[in-house]
Amino acid sequence: SRPDGEEPPTVSPLGGDDGLRFRRGRLIHALLQTLLQVAPPVRPAAAAAFLARRVHGLDPAAQAAIAAETLAVLGHPEFGTIFGPAGWAEVPLVGTIGGRAISAQVDRLVVTPEAVLVVDFKTNRPAPNDPSAVPAIYLRQMAAYRQALGAIYPDRPVRCALLWTDGPRLMPLPDPLLEKHAP
């Protein structure tokens, strides 16, 4: 699921974070996947209990920040369709694109009779303000997803978007931009 290329830095290369940026991303992804199974009023307590586990090695400030970021995404009114009943979490996607095999886990997939929406969560900070500033590795990833899903759902358009958890903000990716990065 990772295209060739280097991941962009998510924090200053001059400051050490003891691996927190990677832990933070994994924990936010885990919470976005599992908290949907918990009733909304109970989600803050469930997130707090999960993040307080010693295995995560988080201080109280980091726990609170990760919980707040995750809950802001789940509670955002514009993301109802993504996290609604038509949305699926961690969908396996396997196929051959341009003679190259891909195997991926799609963060969220929403399939309706009219269209397919594939959403990938990104925890980078700061998030770019414009799709043209999105790192090429992410655009190649989404272009591959789009192409694979287009083969599965040839009767409807496949739309791609990045959900930046910092903000939070949903960034639709224009088809012409993805076509430039297609495998």
Side-chain angles (χ1 to χ4, degrees):
S1 68
R2 293 198 176 274
D4 295 335
E6 193 170 314
E7 286 273 352
T10 57
V11 293
S12 168
L14 303 176
D17 74 351
D18 255 355
L20 179 59
R21 69 182 172 142
F22 296 111
R23 256 184 300 161
R24 182 179 151 276
R26 284 191 308 271
L27 291 170
I28 289 172
H29 272 75
L31 287 170
L32 287 172
Q33 180 183 356
T34 58
L35 283 179
L36 288 176
Q37 301 165 22
V38 177
V42 183
R43 287 178 185 166
F50 174 75
L51 294 169
R53 292 179 181 167
R54 289 181 63 182
V55 69
H56 300 312
L58 299 172
D59 63 40
Q63 293 171 34
I66 291 170
E69 189 167 327
T70 304
L71 293 168
V73 169
L74 291 175
H76 199 288
E78 291 181 26
F79 306 155
T81 300
I82 296 167
F83 294 107
W88 300 335
E90 297 299 321
V91 178
L93 181 61
V94 179
T96 305
I97 305 293
R100 194 169 178 186
I102 68 162
S103 176
Q105 288 281 119
V106 173
D107 289 338
R108 292 298 291 183
L109 184 65
V110 181
V111 179
T112 67
E114 297 78 34
V116 175
L117 174 65
V118 58
V119 178
D120 199 62
F121 306 141
K122 297 298 182 194
T123 56
N124 304 48
R125 295 184 293 182
N129 290 321
D130 187 82
S132 64
V134 170
I137 189 171
Y138 296 160
L139 296 173
R140 286 192 303 272
Q141 173 190 16
M142 297 306 286
Y145 289 177
R146 179 175 173 256
Q147 198 167 351
L149 288 163
I152 296 168
Y153 298 100
D155 60 330
R156 56 197 106 175
V158 177
R159 307 281 183 239
C160 296
L162 298 175
L163 198 160
W164 301 99
T165 62
D166 184 34
R169 187 167 41 92
L170 185 67
M171 179 184 284
L173 299 173
D175 290 345
L177 180 63
L178 292 176
E179 287 164 10
K180 290 180 191 175
H181 292 84

